[in-house]
Amino acid sequence: MRAIWKGAVTFGLVNVPVKVYAATEDHDLALHQVHDEDGGRIRYQRRCEICGKVVDYAHIDKAYDDGERTVVLTGDDLASLPEEKSREIDVVEFVPSDQIDPIMLDRSYFLEPDSSSAKSYVLLRRTLEQTDRTAIVHFALRQKTRLGALRVHGDVLMLQSLLWSDEVREATFPALDERVRITAKELEMSSALVDSFASDFSPEDFTDDYQEQLRTLIDAKLEQGEALDTDVTFGEQPEKESGGEVIDLMEALRRSVERNAAKKTSTKKPAAKKSPAKKSPATKKQAASTPTAKKSVPKKEPATEKKRRA
């Protein structure tokens, strides 16, 4: 990974030098556009509408147009802003972690200690863990002032930029204003359906099926060319059941619970049969060394006893 920013986390008089790294990356296959007739690459050019010349990125400035006037902002103008010069991730407050709505989370960054001693870094990490708090921070990155959440991720401090409050839309749907009656039986059956799907979340259990199928398609086309038969490549896909309009909610819930229960039963592996326990060498040795019991032989009766009976 390559550091994209260097600065320091500051709270009070405590200073924690850090390097910032992007915590996520895109795994999608890179595709480009081509002309469908001849396969020629489609390219976009930055062309000036006044002189008609193609302009290099180094000669492009930014501008703001209010409808009547245009203000051009050069790179030096933007770099002169006080916030852009700041190299501090300033802690504003520490809040309970559960107060941060996930809808506000934007991009994630890893913070690496950037000093000879990581003591202040570890101290901040352990304090956040012990208090179950998240630091709300203020910082500037890539020509934007940002609000962020500084929290613990394993052994690392993670910085997640937050959306500003006015960037989160308010959801108002007229349909939700209507009164809906939910019966106790419907709620019970719905809870049973949730329980049938209940599990612990393991991200590594999930894969991007689209990207895997796209890679399969590309490999097949590289090998077979335009003669590729996609039905052969992917097999005949069964049609998925359409949700459609729910006529009887209780019936749909009941059938869903039954289908999910049957699916779980069919995926369970049969219990392995126990093989008979083998005698250990020591047991066999011990058995071999133990003398076998002698058969009891009936004693002969004395001759005098026989005469008496006669």
Side-chain angles (χ1 to χ4, degrees):
M1 292 191 295
R2 184 175 61 87
I4 61 173
W5 191 85
K6 289 178 66 174
V9 178
T10 61
F11 59 107
L13 299 177
V14 179
N15 187 287
V16 185
V18 293
K19 291 179 181 178
V20 178
Y21 299 83
T24 59
E25 59 185 1
D26 190 354
H27 69 192
D28 290 358
L29 292 173
L31 303 176
H32 57 257
Q33 296 178 329
V34 295
H35 188 190
D36 62 353
E37 290 186 4
D38 53 22
R41 182 82 175 262
I42 302 297
R43 299 186 182 276
Y44 294 92
Q45 297 177 326
R46 306 177 191 90
R47 189 178 297 277
C48 176
E49 66 177 16
I50 295 178
C51 66
K53 294 180 180 178
V54 176
V55 183
D56 293 335
Y57 191 78
H59 295 288
I60 296 178
D61 289 331
K62 295 184 178 180
Y64 174 78
D65 188 347
D66 65 358
E68 296 180 0
R69 297 169 297 175
T70 299
V71 176
V72 176
L73 301 171
T74 66
D76 291 338
D77 290 336
L78 296 173
S80 68
L81 297 175
E83 284 291 343
E84 184 66 20
K85 293 180 179 179
S86 174
R87 287 287 159 180
E88 291 185 348
I89 301 173
D90 189 25
V91 175
V92 180
E93 57 188 5
F94 292 94
V95 302
S97 298
D98 59 4
Q99 289 186 359
I100 299 176
D101 190 335
I103 196 175
M104 297 189 69
L105 297 176
D106 195 11
R107 294 188 176 275
S108 301
Y109 304 92
F110 290 137
L111 301 186
E112 178 192 16
D114 188 28
S115 64
S116 56
S117 173
K119 185 172 183 178
S120 58
Y121 181 99
V122 175
L123 176 62
L124 176 56
R125 188 195 70 202
R126 289 188 180 178
T127 303
L128 291 175
E129 286 177 327
Q130 184 176 337
T131 59
D132 192 22
R133 296 254 169 181
T134 295
I136 300 301
V137 300
H138 188 266
F139 65 106
L141 178 65
R142 292 175 172 171
Q143 299 180 351
K144 277 190 177 183
T145 299
R146 303 171 189 262
L147 194 65
L150 182 65
R151 64 181 184 85
V152 178
H153 178 76
D155 293 333
V156 178
L157 287 176
M158 170 176 278
L159 175 63
Q160 291 184 280
S161 58
L162 299 175
L163 298 174
W164 298 99
S165 61
D166 61 352
E167 291 181 315
V168 179
R169 291 175 173 174
E170 184 178 355
T172 53
F173 302 112
L176 295 178
D177 294 334
E178 300 176 9
R179 296 191 63 180
V180 177
R181 181 175 175 270
I182 303 294
T183 66
K185 191 64 179 176
E186 289 170 338
L187 191 58
E188 180 185 348
M189 188 63 73
S190 180
S191 298
L193 180 58
V194 171
D195 289 340
S196 69
F197 281 93
S199 181
D200 292 322
F201 180 56
S202 299
E204 60 275 7
D205 292 342
F206 300 89
T207 56
D208 189 339
D209 294 338
Y210 181 86
Q211 290 300 317
E212 288 187 355
Q213 293 168 7
L214 181 59
R215 169 57 69 186
T216 300
L217 178 63
I218 291 173
D219 291 341
K221 292 207 77 168
L222 287 173
E223 184 178 342
Q224 303 176 36
E226 296 303 321
L228 172 70
D229 184 345
T230 54
D231 289 337
V232 174
T233 303
F234 296 108
E236 193 171 338
Q237 301 298 314
E239 291 186 7
K240 292 185 177 180
E241 293 183 20
S242 175
E245 185 180 354
V246 178
I247 306 300
D248 188 338
L249 183 57
M250 278 298 296
E251 178 64 14
L253 288 169
R254 184 187 62 78
R255 289 174 59 186
S256 299
V257 172
E258 290 176 353
R259 184 176 63 176
N260 206 42
K263 189 186 299 183
K264 283 191 173 182
T265 304
S266 64
T267 55
K268 285 184 179 179
K269 294 181 179 179
K273 294 182 179 179
K274 291 185 178 180
S275 55
K278 295 182 180 179
K279 291 184 178 180
S280 62
T283 307
K284 289 182 179 179
K285 193 174 182 181
Q286 185 178 358
S289 61
T290 304
T292 54
K294 293 182 179 180
K295 293 182 180 179
S296 56
V297 180
K299 293 181 180 180
K300 292 183 179 180
E301 295 180 359
T304 53
E305 196 67 19
K306 285 182 179 181
K307 287 180 180 180
R308 285 178 186 175
R309 289 183 180 179

Coordinates of all heavy atoms in Angstrom, one line a residue, residues 95-101 128 131-135 151:
V95 N -17.7 10.1 21.2 CA -19.1 9.8 21.3 C -19.3 8.3 21.4 O -18.4 7.5 21.0 CB -19.9 10.3 20.1 CG1 -19.7 11.8 19.9 CG2 -19.5 9.5 18.8
P96 N -20.4 7.8 22.0 CA -20.7 6.4 22.1 C -20.7 5.8 20.6 O -21.4 6.4 19.8 CB -22.0 6.3 22.8 CG -22.1 7.5 23.6 CD -21.4 8.6 22.8
S97 N -20.1 4.7 20.4 CA -20.0 4.2 19.1 C -21.3 3.9 18.4 O -21.5 4.0 17.2 CB -19.1 2.9 19.1 OG -17.8 3.2 19.6
D98 N -22.3 3.5 19.2 CA -23.6 3.1 18.6 C -24.4 4.4 18.2 O -25.5 4.2 17.7 CB -24.4 2.3 19.6 CG -24.7 3.0 21.0 OD1 -24.3 4.2 21.1 OD2 -25.3 2.4 21.9
Q99 N -23.9 5.6 18.4 CA -24.6 6.8 18.0 C -24.4 7.2 16.6 O -25.0 8.1 16.0 CB -24.3 7.9 18.9 CG -24.9 7.8 20.3 CD -24.6 9.1 21.2 OE1 -24.0 10.1 20.7 NE2 -25.1 9.1 22.4
I100 N -23.4 6.5 15.9 CA -23.1 6.8 14.5 C -23.9 6.0 13.6 O -23.8 4.7 13.6 CB -21.6 6.6 14.3 CG1 -20.7 7.5 15.2 CG2 -21.2 6.9 12.8 CD1 -19.3 7.3 15.1
D101 N -24.8 6.6 12.8 CA -25.6 5.9 11.9 C -24.8 5.4 10.7 O -24.1 6.2 10.1 CB -26.7 6.8 11.4 CG -27.8 6.1 10.6 OD1 -27.5 5.0 10.0 OD2 -29.0 6.6 10.6
L128 N -9.9 4.0 23.2 CA -11.1 3.9 22.5 C -11.8 2.5 22.7 O -13.0 2.4 22.8 CB -10.8 4.1 21.0 CG -10.5 5.5 20.5 CD1 -10.1 5.5 19.0 CD2 -11.6 6.5 20.8
T131 N -13.2 2.4 26.4 CA -14.4 3.3 26.7 C -15.5 3.0 25.7 O -16.6 3.6 25.9 CB -13.9 4.8 26.6 OG1 -13.4 5.0 25.2 CG2 -12.9 5.1 27.6
D132 N -15.3 2.2 24.7 CA -16.3 1.9 23.7 C -16.8 3.2 23.1 O -18.0 3.5 22.9 CB -17.4 1.1 24.2 CG -18.3 0.6 23.1 OD1 -17.9 0.4 22.0 OD2 -19.5 0.3 23.4
R133 N -15.8 4.1 22.7 CA -16.1 5.4 22.1 C -15.5 5.5 20.8 O -14.5 4.8 20.4 CB -15.6 6.5 23.0 CG -16.3 6.6 24.4 CD -17.2 7.7 24.5 NE -18.1 7.7 25.6 CZ -19.0 8.6 25.9 NH1 -19.2 9.6 25.1 NH2 -19.7 8.5 27.0
T134 N -16.1 6.4 19.9 CA -15.5 6.7 18.6 C -15.2 8.2 18.6 O -16.0 9.0 19.1 CB -16.5 6.4 17.5 OG1 -16.7 4.9 17.5 CG2 -16.0 6.8 16.2
A135 N -14.0 8.5 18.1 CA -13.6 9.9 18.0 C -14.2 10.6 16.8 O -14.0 10.1 15.7 CB -12.1 10.0 18.0
R151 N -12.0 5.1 14.7 CA -12.3 4.0 15.6 C -11.3 2.9 15.5 O -10.3 3.0 14.7 CB -13.7 3.4 15.2 CG -13.8 2.9 13.8 CD -15.2 2.4 13.5 NE -15.3 1.7 12.2 CZ -15.0 0.5 12.0 NH1 -14.6 -0.3 13.0 NH2 -15.2 -0.1 10.8

